[in-house]
Amino acid sequence: MKKYILTCLALATVCGASARKPRTARTQESAAREAATRDSLRCAAETLLRQVDSLETALLCARAAATETTAQREPAAPAIDPEQAAADSIASVRERLRPTRIRSTFDTHELTVLDTLATDNDAVQVILYSNNSWRYAINREVMRDESIFEKYWDTTTLFPYREVDMSAMPSSVVIELLDSVTSYHCPYQGSVHPRGKYGPRRRRQHQGIDLPLKTGDPIYATFSGRVRISEYNRGGYGNLVIIRHDNGLETYYGHLSERKVEPNQWVEAGQIIGLGGSTGRSTGPHLHFETRYYGQSFDPERLIDFRSGELCRDMFLLKKSYFSIHSKAGQDFEDEIANEEQDKKEDAEKAAMRYHKIRSGDTLGAIARRYGTTVNNICRLNGIKSTTVLRIGRTLRVR
């Protein structure tokens, strides 16, 4: 129909073009009648076109409505395959559980907060610092997790988890250490070799790790969280700070010379919470650092490489087998002192060790006289006999 009307319009246009040609035989009256007829045809054609357009629009709407009705009657096909979605989620978790290297966030000490900006998420803010840096932070007034920061919350009791039934805990728990709005900072910044390792040491139990430092060195919050304990502990920790983090973990910072935070205070990763020292039962300046989950301690080196100061992963699979059997008892600092003294004795012995590289003409007797020792002692230290043939280039321990 539309093509037919368009043809009429074309004919009317042709008639108009013909009428404009000069014809001397045509009278003015006949020309006027033709013009009126031409205008009438054009108006009629345009009216029909508008009606056709309206009919086509109505037809399209009717078809769309019919399609929608049919879709409502028939069950819609799932947009995502549940099994594939589950497989993708598992693959994503496995990828995040793999070891990685995450450096400490920048130190916010002595930096001025220039402004705090809101985001599309009311629980997330952007903090601008005076060194032209910025970072995301959780708006603690909006984001309050009662299950983490209210249950078993005690600002005076070191171990408030006595009613927790750990037998009901699954064999492993996924702990998210970092996400898009949280940060990490090594508790003591610097390449250090931990002295006191976690776990049994010479039949003694050590609940944390000891990081050598100088008195007054800054100690940082490892993750963001809320301070549960900030006090002088007479059980051996000395000045102690305990922070509970958003993921449920707690970190302990012992032997501090000074505490710079108060109970119930919110802190961000990288914020200085105290200064290193040797308070409590300690034989020298160091940070006693612990990681616990519902009061159960596990090796902090599973999370942090203290030699580089880097976090080992952003998601951690905490297995029940990682917990110490002595976790609930707290740290026995009598054992720690004994361990430290034994460490110092072994360090002194290592420093006193002497070695000799055998050259042509050397004998065990000559070597013993040179270093003021005996042949029997050299043989004992090296597991050899007095009749053993000395090979040139071999190294012998002589002390």
Side-chain angles (χ1 to χ4, degrees):
M1 181 182 291
K2 199 167 186 177
K3 290 182 178 179
Y4 171 77
I5 295 171
L6 289 174
T7 303
C8 292
L9 279 176
L11 290 173
T13 303
V14 171
C15 292
S18 301
R20 286 191 291 271
K21 292 180 181 179
R23 294 181 179 179
T24 55
R26 180 174 298 172
T27 64
Q28 292 182 355
E29 184 178 355
S30 62
R33 285 197 300 270
E34 289 179 2
T37 303
R38 187 169 58 250
D39 292 338
S40 177
L41 287 172
R42 184 181 296 109
C43 291
E46 290 175 351
T47 301
L48 286 173
L49 277 174
R50 286 194 296 270
Q51 292 176 351
V52 170
D53 289 338
S54 299
L55 288 172
E56 289 181 348
T57 301
L59 181 60
L60 289 174
C61 292
R63 288 175 178 173
T67 303
E68 183 177 356
T69 302
T70 305
Q72 290 177 351
R73 292 175 181 174
E74 298 177 0
I80 300 176
D81 183 2
E83 293 185 1
Q84 184 61 44
D88 293 342
S89 299
I90 294 173
S92 176
V93 170
R94 285 178 176 173
E95 181 66 27
R96 294 189 63 193
L97 287 172
R98 290 180 179 179
T100 184
R101 291 290 175 179
I102 303 170
R103 294 183 179 179
S104 295
T105 185
F106 60 88
D107 186 353
T108 60
H109 184 56
E110 296 184 347
L111 291 181
T112 303
V113 176
L114 298 180
D115 199 0
T116 301
L117 306 179
T119 66
D120 293 336
N121 187 339
D122 292 338
V124 179
Q125 299 174 325
V126 175
I127 300 178
L128 305 180
Y129 292 94
S130 53
N131 66 341
N132 296 324
S133 59
W134 65 275
R135 69 197 234 175
Y136 288 114
I138 296 176
N139 185 344
R140 301 293 177 176
E141 296 302 322
V142 176
M143 188 68 176
R144 290 182 178 273
D145 191 338
E146 296 181 359
S147 63
I148 297 296
F149 297 111
E150 292 190 11
K151 193 173 183 180
Y152 304 113
W153 185 262
D154 194 319
T155 59
T156 59
T157 303
L158 192 67
F159 191 86
Y161 304 101
R162 301 189 185 281
E163 297 180 359
V164 177
D165 182 13
M166 294 306 297
S167 63
M169 178 183 170
S171 59
S172 60
V173 177
V174 175
I175 304 292
E176 189 166 32
L177 302 177
L178 294 181
D179 56 29
S180 58
V181 296
T182 57
S183 303
Y184 153 79
H185 199 290
C186 188
Y188 172 63
Q189 189 68 37
S191 299
V192 297
H193 293 271
R195 286 285 298 272
K197 294 285 189 176
Y198 175 87
R201 302 173 63 215
R202 307 178 189 92
R203 299 182 181 179
R204 301 179 184 274
Q205 192 68 21
H206 195 228
Q207 301 291 337
I209 193 167
D210 295 337
L211 305 176
L213 46 68
K214 295 180 181 178
T215 299
D217 283 349
I219 305 300
Y220 301 89
T222 308
F223 305 105
S224 301
R226 187 179 181 187
V227 178
R228 186 170 70 82
I229 295 284
S230 180
E231 65 181 14
Y232 185 91
N233 175 266
R234 299 186 181 279
Y237 284 101
N239 279 318
L240 171 67
V241 171
I242 300 177
I243 302 175
R244 185 178 294 181
H245 306 288
D246 298 270
N247 51 23
L249 294 180
E250 286 191 340
T251 48
Y252 286 47
Y253 311 79
H255 304 317
L256 305 178
S257 62
E258 183 179 345
R259 292 173 283 111
K260 291 185 174 294
V261 291
E262 299 296 330
N264 293 311
Q265 178 181 341
W266 292 99
V267 295
E268 296 295 330
Q271 181 176 335
I272 293 179
I273 59 171
L275 304 179
S278 186
T279 57
R281 296 181 188 173
S282 171
T283 58
H286 70 279
L287 172 66
H288 177 82
F289 180 73
E290 297 182 13
T291 50
R292 292 180 179 254
Y293 184 72
Y294 282 93
Q296 308 296 309
S297 68
F298 61 94
D299 191 353
E301 290 192 281
R302 293 186 182 276
L303 304 183
I304 302 171
D305 181 351
F306 290 98
R307 291 169 180 80
S308 66
E310 296 174 329
L311 189 67
C312 298
R313 49 184 49 83
D314 63 359
M315 184 177 282
F316 175 53
L317 186 64
L318 176 58
K319 298 182 179 180
K320 205 171 183 179
S321 59
Y322 294 165
F323 294 145
S324 164
I325 59 174
H326 303 285
S327 288
K328 292 185 179 181
Q331 177 64 47
D332 188 343
F333 285 95
E334 296 293 345
D335 288 348
E336 178 169 324
I337 290 175
N339 282 328
E340 287 185 11
E341 291 175 347
Q342 184 65 28
D343 286 340
K344 290 182 178 180
K345 182 179 178 181
E346 291 178 358
D347 289 344
E349 291 176 350
K350 290 180 180 178
M353 290 180 182
R354 294 290 184 272
Y355 294 88
H356 175 81
K357 190 173 184 179
I358 299 173
R359 298 187 293 268
S360 177
D362 279 344
T363 63
L364 287 176
I367 295 172
R369 289 192 296 273
R370 179 176 178 179
Y371 292 97
T373 185
T374 63
V375 172
N376 288 337
N377 191 44
I378 293 176
C379 292
R380 178 182 61 82
L381 292 174
N382 295 276
I384 61 175
K385 298 180 179 180
S386 59
T387 56
T388 299
V389 177
L390 303 181
R391 296 194 301 272
I392 295 175
R394 176 179 177 177
T395 300
L396 292 178
R397 180 182 169 187
V398 295
R399 283 190 180 277

